[in-house]
């Protein structure tokens, strides 16, 4: 059954329709990803679906009685409301009961001796029983907890922009609507929370419609795709990966048809140029066919962003940090960090929100001084810092509409020299970043959020940096721009340090990681983000095995006497000795053996299946597999022992 229907919808902005004659249906069990370039109309499509905007033509129809939940990019709240009132904003009896119960619970926690609060709690507990609202309360509590909203009585004016976005997301999830519409839900979430949200939406029982730049998220959650562009919307069945395959086949067919049309047109054009001696009906029809072939040339494809390799020479010394520490009125965010950024470094920085990732970039960029330690920057280093707040961009649009696009870029450089020696003007670079010359004198303040971030990226690159610091670069950039940025970073002649929660982008760009943990502890991890997930899974499995072994080896507790003797204070645990040089080398060798064994296992299993009729071969392969499994178990145990001390 259709929960949402677009019937020949049109939406105009200026002289050209942004959406024109758009028709599609979303069924009650569909999870739809909306993709397209910045400015193509993705957010407008979502706002029309949510009823936040009205179409200029056609109809948007919602199934009778269906409830819609909408997370916009910039949620609109009353700043004096509490988190609790905002999240539990529904008017149903169960939602009202949960809201009242949570307020009473917070009041009792503030004044635990107040009997009136206790009596109110008891009364509201009875109401919750009657309405069967405890499941709703438990689900809501779980959502608030996973989104890091620990204080439900906090007013919104005390929260950061990222916290407010999480409040809006919590509200949309708690409402459990029939159609959930999410515009960039992964912005301001850390990787662990993104993975939790991904799992929640995969099991979502209603319809879902979302825009996101996170390609792993998009591929794992959706089963339908809507591609927005050129005023229209094209529908594809399947996930994002399925869409890419269908798109590739579609483009191959179109290329073949265009090649055939072009060859026919070429022959007909040659015939026309020779001239027909007799104006017969046959020659007249052939002339008409020639004109039809020429007129059938496809419209030019939408231009893609082109990022040229622009940088300055970088010497041997880049960035050296020794025993760097930093804190802000609390536990340290960075504790005794020693790290050397090399000339071709591709470093990803991960960890929960508030752990200190951006603080490290601010220190490297020279915007913050460390509390202790030394940061040395090489003499040839030119830092390009793409910060999360786009501070230079905000300044350009602070006074109304603000500075013009071309002036904003020429403030940095009027032209740049690429790696192949070509000189490119600021206007030409703007064109490559999809800002044609007729819009380059538009004020920055009139651009969309995604267009501003793309412009800010160009400004950073126009400075010809040789060390790039990227703080959440995937926020508000569309997928085509991200693909172009990733390809640019492949050939970038310098160091790249990236803070990101986008797992796909980290896998694509980073070759090793720094993971921020509690109390300023920072761990260096070899490999990509996916490699870290494998390491983390092995560590958890090893820890669980060790805990099980300790529990099995522990003696049974003696029967409790009637008057137990006081326990002696436990001796403090001895500190684990640090790894020696030989043990560090052994740890690397063990990791390599584990990786090799895990790759060899499926090969042996496949070979056993293939040679099942060859008894001698089966015996040999079975013995090899058994030996490999025993060695792998031993290596995993040894790795867990060394990794704990490392």
């Amino acid at each position: 059954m259709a929960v949402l229907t677009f019937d020949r919808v049109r939406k105009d902005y200026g002289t050209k329709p942004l959406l024109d004659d758009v028709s599609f249906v979303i069924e009650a069990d569909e999870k739809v990803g909306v993709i397209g370039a910045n400015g193509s109309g993705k957010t407008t499509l979502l706002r029309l679906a949510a009823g936040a905007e009205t179409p200029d033509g056609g109809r948007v129809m919602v199934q009778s009685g269906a409830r819609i939940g909408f997370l916009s990019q910039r949620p609109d709240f009353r700043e004096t409301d509490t988190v609790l009132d905002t999240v539990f904003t529904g008017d149903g009896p169960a939602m009202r009961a949960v809201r009242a119960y949570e307020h009473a619970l917070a009041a009792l926690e503030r004044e635990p001796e107040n009997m009136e609060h206790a009596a109110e709690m008891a009364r509201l507990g009875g109401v919750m029983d009657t309405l069967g609202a405890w499941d709703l309360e438990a689900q809501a509590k779980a959502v608030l907890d996973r989104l890091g909203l620990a204080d439900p009585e906090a007013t919104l004016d005390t929260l950061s922009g990222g916290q407010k976005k999480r409040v809006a997301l919590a509200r949309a999830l708690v409402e459990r609507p029939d159609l959930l519409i999410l515009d960039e839900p992964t912005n301001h979430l850390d990787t662990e929370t993104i993975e939790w949200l991904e799992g929640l939406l995969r099991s979502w029982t209603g319809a879902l419609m979302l825009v996101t730049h996170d390609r792993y998220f998009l591929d794992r959650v959706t089963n339908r795709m809507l591609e927005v562009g050129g005023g229209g919307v094209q529908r594809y069945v399947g996930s994002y990966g399925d869409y890419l395959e269908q798109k590739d086949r579609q483009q191959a067919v179109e290329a073949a048809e265009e090649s055939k049309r072009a060859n026919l047109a070429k022959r007909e054009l040659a015939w026309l140029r020779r001239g027909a001696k007799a104006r017969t009906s046959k020659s007249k029809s052939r002339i008409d066919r020639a004109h039809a072939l020429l007129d059938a040339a496809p419209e030019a494809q939408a231009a893609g962003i082109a990022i040229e390799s622009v940088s300055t020479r970088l010497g041997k010394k880049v960035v050296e940090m020794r025993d760097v520490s930093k804190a802000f009125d609390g536990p340290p965010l960075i504790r005794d960090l020693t790290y050397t950024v090399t000339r071709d470094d591709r470093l990803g920085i991960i960890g929960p929100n508030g752990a200190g990732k951006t603080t490290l970039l601010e220190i490297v960029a020279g915007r913050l001084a460390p509390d202790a330690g030394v940061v040395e920057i090489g003499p040839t280093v030119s830092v390009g810092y793409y910060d999360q707040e786009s501070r230079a961009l905000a300044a350009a649009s602070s006074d109304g509409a603000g500075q013009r696009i071309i002036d904003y870029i020429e403030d940095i450089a009027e032209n740049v020299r690429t790696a192949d020696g070509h000189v490119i003007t600021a206007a030409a670079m703007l064109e490559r970043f999809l800002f044609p010359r007729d819009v380059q004198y538009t004020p920055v303040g009139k651009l969309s959020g995604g267009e501003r971030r793309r412009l800010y990226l160009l400004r950073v690159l126009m400075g010809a940096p040789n060390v790039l610091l990227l703080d959440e670069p995937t926020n508000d950039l569309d997928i085509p721009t991200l693909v172009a940025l990733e390809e640019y970073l492949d050939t970038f002649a310098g160091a790249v340090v990236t803070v990101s929660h986008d797992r796909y982008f980290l896998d694509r760009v980073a070759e090793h990681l720094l993971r921020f943990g509690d109390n300023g502890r920072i761990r260096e991890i070899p490999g990509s983000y996916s490699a870290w997930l494998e390491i983390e899974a092995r560590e958890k499995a090893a820890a669980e095995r060790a805990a099980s072994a300790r529990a099995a080896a522990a003696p049974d507790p003696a029967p409790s006497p009637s008057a137990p003797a006081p326990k002696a204070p436990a001796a403090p645990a001895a500190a684990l000795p640090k790894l020696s040089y030989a043990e560090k080398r052994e740890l690397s060798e063990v990791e390599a053996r584990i990786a090799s064994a895990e790759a060899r296992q499926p090969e042996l299993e496949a070979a056993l299946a293939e040679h099942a009729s060859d008894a001698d071969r089966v015996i040999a392969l079975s013995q090899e597999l058994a030996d490999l499994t025993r060695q792998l178990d031993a290596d995993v145990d040894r790795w867990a022992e060394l990794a704990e001390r490392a």
Side-chain angles (χ1 to χ4, degrees):
M1 181 180 292
V3 67
L4 178 74
T5 302
F6 270 52
D7 179 24
R8 304 179 65 87
V9 169
R10 190 186 82 253
K11 187 65 180 178
D12 298 323
Y13 287 106
T15 58
K16 186 177 180 181
L18 183 64
L19 299 172
D20 190 19
D21 199 27
V22 170
S23 297
F24 63 86
V25 169
I26 294 181
E27 301 290 340
D29 60 345
E30 288 185 332
K31 297 180 174 67
V32 180
V34 181
I35 57 175
N38 282 337
S40 61
K42 302 188 300 296
T43 291
T44 299
L45 189 75
L46 263 57
R47 291 180 61 80
L48 287 167
E53 291 192 24
T54 56
D56 296 319
R59 296 180 299 166
V60 177
M61 294 172 286
V62 179
Q63 178 190 349
S64 177
R67 294 173 300 114
I68 293 180
F70 178 41
L71 171 70
S72 70
Q73 282 195 44
R74 292 170 180 80
D76 186 20
F77 297 124
R78 288 188 302 185
E79 294 292 308
T80 55
D81 281 355
T82 65
V83 170
L84 191 62
D85 286 328
T86 305
V87 171
F88 298 102
T89 192
D91 291 328
M95 188 69 79
R96 288 199 300 269
V98 171
R99 184 165 62 239
Y101 178 82
E102 290 296 325
H103 274 304
L105 178 60
L108 186 61
E109 288 175 349
R110 288 194 302 270
E111 301 178 47
E113 304 299 326
N114 190 316
M115 299 308 296
E116 291 182 4
H117 294 332
E120 180 67 2
M121 277 279 296
R123 185 188 71 80
L124 289 169
V127 175
M128 296 276 285
D129 284 334
T130 302
L131 294 173
W134 290 111
D135 284 346
L136 175 60
E137 193 264 352
Q139 293 167 7
K141 279 290 188 66
V143 167
L144 291 172
D145 180 61
R146 291 309 301 260
L147 292 176
L149 301 170
D151 183 6
E153 293 294 320
T155 56
L156 298 185
D157 56 6
T158 65
L159 304 183
S160 68
Q163 289 171 322
K164 290 177 182 177
K165 183 74 178 279
R166 292 198 294 275
V167 170
L169 177 57
R171 179 173 65 182
L173 295 173
V174 167
E175 287 176 347
R176 303 294 300 181
D178 301 292
L179 171 60
L180 178 61
I181 301 175
L182 304 175
D183 196 353
E184 295 291 0
T186 62
N187 283 2
H188 307 293
L189 300 183
D190 57 33
T191 49
E192 290 82 1
T193 308
I194 290 172
E195 288 167 6
W196 164 79
L197 179 62
E198 181 182 292
L200 178 67
L201 295 181
R202 287 174 70 177
S203 60
W204 188 262
T205 54
L208 175 68
M209 187 179 187
L210 66 91
V211 169
T212 180
H213 59 262
D214 188 322
R215 284 154 283 179
Y216 280 158
F217 192 91
L218 196 61
D219 190 53
R220 293 166 184 170
V221 169
T222 60
N223 56 25
R224 298 289 186 275
M225 302 299 301
L226 292 178
E227 184 181 33
V228 184
V233 171
Q234 190 163 358
R235 179 182 170 93
Y236 296 84
V237 176
S239 66
Y240 178 66
D242 298 325
Y243 153 78
L244 291 177
E245 292 178 1
Q246 293 174 57
K247 191 74 173 176
D248 185 57
R249 290 195 297 269
Q250 177 182 321
Q251 289 175 342
V253 169
E254 290 173 353
E257 291 176 350
E258 169 55 17
S259 176
K260 181 179 178 180
R261 184 206 63 81
N263 287 332
L264 283 172
K266 185 177 180 180
R267 291 199 300 270
E268 294 300 301
L269 185 61
W271 180 84
L272 280 175
R273 284 173 175 164
R274 284 198 305 270
K277 293 181 179 178
R279 294 297 177 188
T280 64
S281 61
K282 183 176 180 181
S283 62
K284 175 67 167 56
S285 65
R286 191 164 182 180
I287 291 171
D288 291 341
R289 188 176 69 176
H291 283 300
L293 286 168
L294 294 172
D295 292 339
E299 295 182 8
Q301 294 290 320
I305 185 172
I307 306 179
E308 289 283 349
S309 181
V310 180
S311 63
T312 52
R313 188 186 68 82
L314 182 60
K316 185 175 181 181
K317 183 175 182 179
V318 184
V319 179
E320 294 180 3
M321 293 176 278
R322 295 191 297 275
D323 300 319
V324 170
S325 297
K326 186 67 181 178
F328 295 99
D329 300 325
L333 296 175
I334 301 171
R335 185 198 297 271
D336 299 328
L337 173 63
T338 296
Y339 185 84
T340 299
V341 179
T342 59
R343 188 159 42 189
D344 56 352
D345 224 340
R346 294 294 185 270
L347 177 65
I349 301 177
I350 62 174
N353 287 331
K357 304 183 298 296
T358 295
T359 298
L360 180 60
L361 293 190
E362 295 277 305
I363 289 173
V364 173
R367 294 182 179 180
L368 272 179
D371 297 335
V374 176
V375 179
E376 293 183 358
I377 308 295
T380 61
V381 167
S382 173
V383 173
Y385 185 15
Y386 184 80
D387 67 67
Q388 194 172 161
E389 288 79 21
S390 309
R391 273 166 275 189
L393 186 62
S397 56
S398 58
D399 55 336
Q403 197 174 14
R404 297 183 303 182
I405 292 172
I406 184 69
D407 297 331
Y408 176 71
I409 296 302
E410 288 185 341
D411 277 353
I412 297 299
E414 294 187 2
N415 55 66
V416 291
R417 187 177 296 276
T418 64
D420 58 7
H422 289 97
V423 175
I424 303 178
T425 66
M429 285 295 284
L430 278 166
E431 286 187 300
R432 296 183 182 202
F433 271 65
L434 308 186
F435 293 103
R437 300 211 178 217
D438 59 345
V439 304
Q440 290 179 10
Y441 290 87
T442 302
V444 171
K446 293 188 178 297
L447 299 178
S448 70
E451 289 170 329
R452 291 190 194 189
R453 290 288 282 177
R454 189 179 348 124
L455 180 67
Y456 181 50
L457 176 61
L458 173 57
R459 180 182 169 103
V460 170
L461 298 181
M462 284 293 286
N466 49 34
V467 174
L468 270 176
L469 307 179
L470 306 176
D471 194 0
E472 295 294 355
T474 64
N475 285 358
D476 297 318
L477 291 182
D478 55 30
I479 291 176
T481 303
L482 289 178
V483 171
L485 177 59
E486 289 158 0
E487 292 174 350
Y488 168 76
L489 295 178
D490 284 342
T491 58
F492 178 70
V496 179
V497 182
T498 302
V499 170
S500 181
H501 294 133
D502 188 318
R503 299 158 296 173
Y504 185 99
F505 187 79
L506 284 170
D507 272 345
R508 184 70 173 75
V509 170
E511 296 174 356
H512 58 287
L513 308 171
L514 290 180
R515 186 182 187 281
F516 277 62
D518 296 331
N519 296 314
R521 291 175 301 195
I522 300 173
R523 175 179 175 182
E524 187 172 355
I525 301 162
S528 65
Y529 182 77
S530 290
W532 155 243
L533 291 181
E534 293 178 8
I535 292 171
E536 187 179 38
R538 288 204 298 266
E539 288 180 350
K540 288 180 178 177
E544 288 170 0
R545 285 200 301 270
S548 298
R550 285 194 298 269
D556 292 332
S560 300
S562 56
K567 292 182 181 178
L576 292 173
K578 292 186 176 181
L579 295 184
S580 66
Y581 174 77
E583 286 174 323
K584 289 180 181 178
R585 193 166 70 177
E586 182 188 2
L587 178 60
S588 298
E589 292 170 352
V590 169
E591 286 179 342
R593 285 204 304 271
I594 289 172
S596 176
E598 288 177 340
R600 179 61 176 154
Q601 261 184 328
E603 295 175 359
L604 289 172
E605 290 165 355
L608 276 169
E610 182 181 351
H611 301 287
S613 59
D614 186 342
D616 292 337
R617 189 71 186 275
V618 166
I619 291 171
L621 289 170
S622 297
Q623 185 60 49
E624 183 182 353
L625 181 58
D627 293 342
L628 181 75
T629 302
R630 279 195 298 272
Q631 184 61 48
L632 179 58
D633 289 341
D635 283 340
V636 167
D637 290 340
R638 179 59 175 160
W639 177 87
E641 178 187 341
L642 294 173
E644 184 178 5
R645 290 165 53 196

